[in-house]
Structure formats: structure tokens, C-alpha cells
Amino acid sequence: MPASARGSSFSGIVHISDVYPTLLGAANIPADLVDHFAFDGVDQWAALTGVDDKKPRSELIINIDDLSEADGLAAFSTGFAYITSNPYDDE
């Protein structure tokens, strides 16, 4: 961790799936060296260290329940939560 980022805080959205891509970023390992793995996460390293002011995530999926009796439920977080009754419906 760069000295300039030590003791700082980060107000962005981070998910557990971001850990591996972020560790690759911290180790300066290009993602294409391990591209045979499908990552759902994003590299947060530049944002965590202050190199980039842009936050990699603007929303986060909390849950998708496609087995519910309500034709599937989904919850997302973008600073607030909203629920859609059918995340697979294109209408």
C-alpha cells in the first residue's frame, strides 16, 4: 500500500468478488495472464490507493432468487435498494 494511501478511507462499493482481481492489481499481474478464469469482480486497487478517483462500482447485486414463486426477485444497491419482480423480463 502506498504511503499516501495509508490511513485513508474509501467510500466506494466493494464486493467479496473484487478481492482476487484487486490482489492481482496490487501485485501488478495483468488479468490476461489468468484470463482462463471468469471474474465477476473488478480490480479496485487503483481506487483504493487513490491513483484513480473513479470508483469501479456504481451498483452491486445483492441477490437474485429465480426460484421464488414471484417469477424471480432481485435486489440491487446503488446507495439505496430497489427490487424488481422479474429480473429476466425485457419489458
Side-chain angles (χ1 to χ4, degrees):
M1 177 72 66
S4 61
R6 294 178 190 159
S8 64
S9 62
F10 179 69
S11 62
I13 300 171
V14 180
H15 187 265
I16 188 68
S17 64
D18 300 335
V19 170
Y20 190 63
T22 300
L23 290 175
L24 290 175
N28 206 22
I29 298 172
D32 61 349
L33 288 179
V34 290
D35 65 355
H36 53 279
F37 295 109
F39 295 124
D40 288 330
V42 295
D43 181 357
Q44 299 268 0
W45 188 248
L48 291 172
T49 58
V51 172
D52 190 351
D53 290 336
K54 183 176 181 280
K55 295 175 181 156
R57 286 191 181 276
S58 60
E59 62 185 20
L60 177 71
I61 189 161
I62 298 169
N63 186 44
I64 293 180
D65 179 5
D66 59 351
L67 300 177
S68 76
E69 294 179 16
D71 292 331
L73 296 172
F76 298 85
S77 175
T78 58
F80 64 92
Y82 62 90
I83 298 174
T84 179
S85 63
N86 188 344
Y88 305 107
D89 190 8
D90 290 336
E91 297 177 16

